[in-house]
Amino acid sequence: MRHTNIVSIYFTLLIALLCQLFPWVGQGIILRPDFVLVAVLYWLLRAPNLCNVGTAWVAGLLVDLATGSLLGQHALSFTITAFIALSYQRRLVLFNTWQLAGYVIALLTIERVLMLLLKLFTGNENPGWHYLWPILTSLILWQMMIVIFGGLTRPKTKQ
Amino acid sequence: MLKGVHQKLEAQQTPAFFVRGANAFPRMVFFCALSIIFMAVDARLNYLSHIRQGFIAALHPLEIVANAPSEWYRDIKKYFSVHNELVQENYVLKQQAFEHKVMLQRLSTINAENAHLRSLLNGDLPIQPNAILGEISHMGRDPFTRTVVVNRGSQHNVKAGQAVVDSIGVIGQVTRVYPFTSEVTLITDKELSIPIQVERNQLRAIAFGEGNNTLDIPYLPTNVDIKVGDKLVTSGIDGIYPAGLAVATVSQILQNPESPFAKIVCTPVAEVTNHLQLLLLALPDAKATAPIEEKITKDAKAARDNLEPPTKAPTKPKANTNAPH
């Protein structure tokens, strides 16, 4: 666990929201990664003392307000995903890059499926398989976050 | 003494490995309940629209920043547009202007004639709708719904429910109004329906959005008189869309032997993806239209009373040519 600054957390969340607000058109909106979710998950797994389920809820609510979807949809799915992410958080130290990527894919899939269920409950059509594409782009974004901000654990010292 | 120990314990740093927020489960339950309440309130009651409007207004600067790169790209593209293209466009526009002028000449005479005929019939002149010119700032952010965001909002007197058209046909309806922007739901959205009329035979029906780029006219029998290529225009009976605006063309008629209804697929004529400018038509004034309707029905009654022969001749009930909907 490395030292993290709370300002950097909110700054990355703001940037993520900005990216979400970017005018995505056509194919872009199908491939658009869940910027805010990836940012929330990253800080959640890296600094659970500063960023917790409540942060995820607030971030989800902001996404709802910004995208104009039903208020609380993203908040609910982010909250549940954040809880599942946190429940295994302490074991992540043992994971290598691939295992961590698998864990993140699982979390992203859970969020997508939850969102799909909520959308279907509120009367939307089944969007088809391309609905799952953002999982892959989000994973790429996750790896970029790791490259930019560093891994979840302290870099290994050479023995 | 005891207090001192307590303070000492609190001051002690927990090992970094065990750093963890408060127990996550109660928080999760609490926030889930809160979001479900929010969803229920947002879906059933309209308390949260003001909060949403305020937030979107606060978010406007952020939105401008997010939209800036695409606008720069557009501007740069405009700046470097080739001379040849401009000349060609100019030529096409001149030709169009000429054609429109010729049509306008006819329009003025037809208008005069129409006014004259209406005055003969004691009818009221239709009110010319006011319109606000807007520009699409971006497509909607939710991939599930088909919306566009227009750069005109409540500050420019836009109201929810206004019809939105472009130079070719109907685009949709304003569904949410924010201070500086408003959200237009396209007619292809699943939630939107539009009363239409087949131009060829005046058949009235309601077209529903399909959620993918088409419209559907449900509940019409398989032998209905609609052909591929028929033009659909607004019928104007809803009081929101003025009558006679182009909506869509019939592109496909599917006959399902298991269903008593024909599946009629239509493609909208308006080109949302190609044009940026659109017109937000003002809502018809409820106070202004209601008495007119009343008057018309009164006039019609009076006319019928006058026309009715004094002898009690068996009058045929007027055949209803319009399909039920």
Side-chain angles (χ1 to χ4, degrees):
Chain A
M1 202 71 51
R2 294 185 308 170
H3 179 71
T4 34
N5 190 355
I6 192 134
V7 178
S8 64
I9 293 179
Y10 288 109
F11 186 69
T12 27
L13 283 180
L14 191 74
I15 297 288
L17 196 65
L18 196 70
C19 291
Q20 198 101 4
L21 285 179
F22 205 72
W24 297 83
V25 283
Q27 296 295 310
I29 202 157
I30 294 171
L31 289 174
R32 180 184 67 185
D34 287 332
F35 289 97
V36 180
L37 180 70
V38 170
V40 165
L41 281 181
Y42 179 81
W43 291 115
L44 209 65
L45 297 179
R46 182 168 146 179
N49 54 334
L50 297 176
C51 178
N52 52 41
V53 176
T55 321
W57 184 76
V58 171
L61 208 62
L62 288 181
V63 172
D64 280 329
L65 283 167
T67 54
S69 51
L70 186 67
L71 205 66
Q73 274 186 335
H74 282 93
L76 184 62
S77 64
F78 276 28
T79 306
I80 295 173
T81 315
F83 173 71
I84 297 166
L86 275 183
S87 57
Y88 278 93
Q89 188 262 330
R90 274 189 257 192
R91 278 171 238 187
L92 296 182
V93 190
L94 306 170
F95 284 10
N96 62 27
T97 313
W98 293 107
Q99 283 167 324
L100 193 62
Y103 186 61
V104 170
I105 284 185
L107 290 176
L108 292 169
T109 314
I110 287 168
E111 198 273 343
R112 282 265 118 182
V113 171
L114 278 174
M115 202 63 224
L116 181 66
L117 286 178
L118 287 173
K119 290 275 188 187
L120 290 179
F121 274 134
T122 49
N124 283 288
E125 294 238 333
N126 188 3
W129 287 107
H130 65 73
Y131 175 71
L132 295 177
W133 275 112
I135 294 176
L136 284 183
T137 48
S138 298
L139 188 72
I140 295 167
L141 190 72
W142 167 267
Q143 291 298 341
M144 277 163 67
M145 287 282 283
I146 295 237
V147 169
I148 296 167
F149 295 101
L152 297 180
T153 49
R154 186 183 297 136
K156 275 175 191 155
T157 46
K158 278 185 183 169
Q159 288 170 348
Chain B
M1 171 75 188
L2 208 70
K3 211 177 173 185
V5 171
H6 228 84
Q7 273 175 352
K8 213 175 171 185
L9 271 175
E10 269 179 9
Q12 211 172 27
Q13 283 269 318
T14 38
F17 182 73
F18 296 106
V19 168
R20 195 172 184 186
N23 194 0
F25 187 72
R27 282 184 189 214
M28 193 269 288
V29 172
F30 172 71
F31 284 118
C32 279
L34 209 59
S35 14
I36 288 169
I37 291 168
F38 268 52
M39 278 161 75
V41 170
D42 195 26
R44 298 276 163 229
L45 315 160
N46 278 329
Y47 293 148
L48 294 171
S49 63
H50 288 286
I51 298 171
R52 201 187 274 275
Q53 279 183 8
F55 180 78
I56 294 283
L59 211 67
H60 196 242
L62 210 64
E63 221 161 42
I64 290 170
V65 174
N67 282 339
S70 72
E71 257 160 42
W72 290 337
Y73 173 72
R74 213 185 280 157
D75 287 349
I76 289 168
K77 214 168 127 188
K78 221 186 267 173
Y79 185 78
F80 285 109
S81 58
V82 193
H83 173 252
N84 196 13
E85 251 172 51
L86 284 179
V87 169
Q88 229 167 36
E89 196 181 296
N90 196 5
Y91 177 72
V92 171
L93 286 177
K94 265 184 187 159
Q95 211 168 13
Q96 269 180 5
F98 182 72
E99 280 169 16
H100 290 166
K101 265 181 198 160
V102 173
M103 279 152 95
L104 269 179
Q105 285 174 22
R106 285 189 57 222
L107 182 76
S108 60
T109 52
I110 286 168
N111 260 348
E113 195 183 317
N114 195 16
H116 179 64
L117 288 173
R118 272 181 186 272
S119 69
L120 284 180
L121 286 169
N122 283 331
D124 289 276
L125 288 175
I127 307 148
Q128 290 293 322
N130 295 322
I132 306 163
L133 185 71
E135 200 168 283
I136 296 175
S137 61
H138 55 83
M139 305 301 271
R141 297 210 172 81
D142 190 356
F144 279 93
T145 55
R146 303 193 59 82
T147 52
V148 290
V149 177
V150 180
N151 66 346
R152 290 282 180 271
S154 56
Q155 295 289 316
H156 310 94
N157 272 333
V158 175
K159 288 186 183 69
Q162 284 188 335
V164 181
V165 296
D166 73 354
S167 57
I168 308 170
V170 177
I171 284 181
Q173 207 177 348
V174 177
T175 41
R176 275 201 192 120
V177 184
Y178 306 120
F180 304 105
T181 52
S182 51
E183 191 187 271
V184 176
T185 304
L186 307 183
I187 47 171
T188 49
D189 189 272
K190 217 175 140 261
E191 302 274 305
L192 215 64
S193 54
I194 177 169
I196 50 105
Q197 199 165 23
V198 180
E199 206 177 45
R200 184 167 52 84
N201 56 6
Q202 305 294 302
L203 178 82
R204 266 188 280 126
I206 299 179
F208 291 82
E210 287 253 89
N212 44 28
N213 233 335
T214 55
L215 292 164
D216 177 32
I217 314 176
Y219 317 126
L220 286 184
T222 42
N223 61 352
V224 71
D225 184 18
I226 291 183
K227 291 176 195 153
V228 172
D230 272 351
K231 280 181 183 162
L232 308 176
V233 295
T234 48
S235 61
I237 49 170
D238 55 346
I240 289 171
Y241 300 100
L245 295 171
V247 177
T249 48
V250 177
S251 57
Q252 212 179 0
I253 297 174
L254 302 169
Q255 309 270 3
N256 185 0
E258 285 168 16
S259 159
F261 304 116
K263 184 166 172 58
I264 301 162
V265 183
C266 323
T267 25
V269 288
E271 294 175 334
V272 185
T273 45
N274 298 4
H275 298 305
L276 285 174
Q277 273 84 20
L278 35 77
L279 273 183
L280 308 158
L281 302 181
L283 282 173
D285 198 358
K287 284 175 198 160
T289 50
I292 289 175
E293 267 169 25
E294 214 169 68
K295 202 186 166 203
I296 286 171
T297 46
K298 253 187 207 165
D299 286 356
K301 227 179 191 177
R304 203 177 53 202
D305 289 346
N306 287 342
L307 283 175
E308 215 150 340
T311 51
K312 280 195 174 177
T315 45
K316 256 189 195 172
K318 204 182 163 194
N320 189 11
T321 49
N322 298 325
H325 53 252

